[in-house]
Amino acid sequence: MKRRQRIVQHNLWFYFTMAIFGEFCLSILLGVGLILVLNRLFGVTLSIPSVIWVLVASSAVAGIIALLLNHRILRPIRSLGSAMNRVAGGDFKVRLECASRSAAIRQIYQDFNVMVAELEKTEVLQSDFVSNVSHEFKTPINAIEGYAMLLQGTPQATPEQREYIDRILLNTRRLSSLIGDILLLSKVENQTIASEATAFRLDEQVRQAILLLEPQWSEKEIEFDVELEELSYRGDPRLLLHVWNNLIGNAVKFNRTGGMVRLRLARTDGVVRFTVEDEGPGIPPEARKHIFDKFYQGDSSHRQEGNGLGLALVKRILNACGGEIFMENLPERGCRFTVTLPDAQ
């Protein structure tokens, strides 16, 4: 395979070198011919040295030839670059068809198609493995959680045993949450989740998310500054509720005790815009470029409270909905997450 790649690379360099050399020679000949035609047909007397006229004419002709070569010869390279960008974005179904007479370009296209086909097989195998293993884990974990809840109500349990039972429940719920997030992330990434676009009140859903997180913000004595425009939206309420739960939950989790969470929802400039601000320490510069990566946790002090999939899942849900998310640190303290969604009423 490496020897074939070296041969293909050598052929490409030879091909383009010959094209450039031929372009240069042809432009010189055409430039000289243009000067002879002007002198013979129109009797033009040149006061500038002929060499300069040759160079000027050659440059003009070279520009025309370069445009033609760029259109005819470099078009396959541009197509290959566009296809590679799609593959880098996770589209492994792209295939290239080549009508070029160049054996080197045909070979590159063939190798590219083989590579993408293998990547597609690997992606399908990985997705199936994640889904199957996650499903297999979910049943016994639910059983452990159920038995632990039964033991929790046993009056004969000693304080030490109750502590152990509480720890079992805490960790089984963490595992159950992790498996649920992995399954949802796999479905969103592979676009296998059934979309249920319905009309609903987006502001009421945000309020619902706040109420669901009441135990967390009550414990930290967090206050809310909420301004939500009455806003009807058409989309998948299950997926979007996960977005609000995660963003508001993070604002509570990383906030200072007795801090403030500010929520804004409005329809502006043809998009739906939601912002959440906290009064926490903010996100360090080295962590900003990784916050949407899977399993990344920049703050080690909160590792026991999450699994590093929350923002990665939020990002992919919004991509599937045609939305975007942006993050910025606030001047004094805390950070702001901004979500934009297409204005689907």
Side-chain angles (χ1 to χ4, degrees):
M1 179 63 71
K2 291 183 178 179
R3 182 173 178 271
R4 177 184 293 180
Q5 290 175 347
R6 286 195 298 268
I7 293 174
V8 170
Q9 185 178 11
H10 175 75
N11 289 338
L12 274 177
W13 278 112
F14 177 78
Y15 183 75
F16 286 112
T17 301
M18 292 302 297
I20 293 171
F21 178 74
E23 174 190 339
F24 177 75
C25 294
L26 183 59
S27 62
I28 293 293
L29 292 174
L30 290 175
V32 173
L34 179 61
I35 291 174
L36 293 176
V37 169
L38 289 174
N39 287 334
R40 183 177 295 274
L41 296 181
F42 302 101
V44 177
T45 302
L46 302 176
S47 58
I48 303 176
S50 297
V51 174
I52 297 179
W53 280 105
V54 169
L55 292 176
V56 172
S58 299
S59 300
V61 175
I64 298 173
I65 295 175
L67 290 175
L68 294 175
L69 287 175
N70 183 61
H71 180 71
R72 295 293 299 275
I73 298 177
L74 300 182
R75 183 169 54 184
I77 305 301
R78 290 198 302 270
S79 298
L80 179 62
S82 176
M84 292 174 68
N85 286 332
R86 291 174 59 186
V87 172
D91 182 6
F92 300 118
K93 298 186 180 298
V94 59
R95 297 293 185 272
L96 291 175
E97 296 182 4
C98 183
S100 175
R101 297 180 181 179
S102 170
I105 292 180
R106 289 200 302 271
Q107 185 63 55
I108 288 177
Y109 273 36
Q110 181 180 348
D111 291 343
F112 174 84
N113 290 335
V114 171
M115 177 194 71
V116 177
E118 293 300 322
L119 287 173
E120 184 179 16
K121 291 178 183 177
T122 303
E123 180 71 14
V124 171
L125 180 63
Q126 177 183 350
S127 300
D128 290 344
F129 175 79
V130 169
S131 297
N132 293 334
V133 171
S134 298
H135 276 298
E136 291 300 322
F137 276 154
K138 201 163 188 179
T139 300
I141 288 175
N142 288 339
I144 294 172
E145 183 179 353
Y147 287 124
M149 291 178 67
L150 291 175
L151 290 173
Q152 198 175 30
T154 304
Q156 295 84 2
T158 65
E160 185 178 10
Q161 290 172 336
R162 289 194 181 94
E163 182 182 354
Y164 294 154
I165 293 170
D166 290 341
R167 290 182 181 179
I168 292 172
L169 276 172
L170 173 65
N171 286 284
T172 52
R173 285 166 180 166
R174 285 187 61 209
L175 277 174
S176 181
S177 174
L178 173 62
I179 291 171
D181 286 349
I182 290 175
L183 283 171
L184 181 57
L185 181 62
S186 177
K187 291 177 180 179
V188 172
E189 286 185 330
N190 294 284
Q191 298 180 349
T192 57
I193 189 168
S195 178
E196 297 181 1
T198 57
F200 63 99
R201 283 274 300 278
L202 203 57
D203 56 310
E204 289 297 333
Q205 190 181 58
V206 173
R207 292 187 181 93
Q208 178 186 356
I210 297 173
L211 292 176
L212 289 173
L213 295 165
E214 191 270 340
Q216 289 90 324
W217 52 261
S218 291
E219 182 180 356
K220 295 186 69 172
E221 300 178 352
I222 300 295
E223 296 183 2
F224 282 84
D225 177 7
V226 180
E227 292 183 14
L228 306 178
E229 178 183 325
E230 186 176 317
L231 199 152
S232 296
Y233 187 79
R234 185 171 184 82
D236 191 325
R238 297 174 305 159
L239 294 179
L240 289 177
L241 181 60
H242 190 94
V243 172
W244 317 136
N245 280 338
N246 183 269
L247 294 178
I248 300 173
N250 282 347
V252 172
K253 181 195 306 183
F254 296 103
N255 213 328
R256 62 184 178 88
T257 301
M260 176 77 71
V261 173
R262 297 174 181 84
L263 304 178
R264 301 290 184 270
L265 177 68
R267 180 180 281 120
T268 58
D269 301 326
V271 298
V272 173
R273 192 178 307 274
F274 172 80
T275 61
V276 52
E277 300 177 4
D278 62 59
E279 294 181 347
I283 299 177
E286 63 274 10
R288 292 180 200 174
K289 56 185 177 182
H290 298 294
I291 58 174
F292 297 110
D293 294 347
K294 289 182 282 189
F295 298 106
Y296 179 79
Q297 289 179 285
D299 187 352
S300 59
S301 64
H302 292 274
R303 288 187 185 275
Q304 299 299 320
E305 302 175 33
N307 51 49
L309 280 178
L311 287 177
L313 187 51
V314 166
K315 176 75 171 177
R316 284 153 181 82
I317 288 175
L318 291 174
N319 287 343
C321 297
E324 294 180 296
I325 183 169
F326 308 95
M327 174 271 158
E328 58 183 326
N329 281 333
L330 299 175
E332 295 183 359
R333 57 165 45 180
C335 64
R336 176 193 296 125
F337 282 88
T338 301
V339 171
T340 61
L341 290 167
D343 190 0
Q345 300 187 45

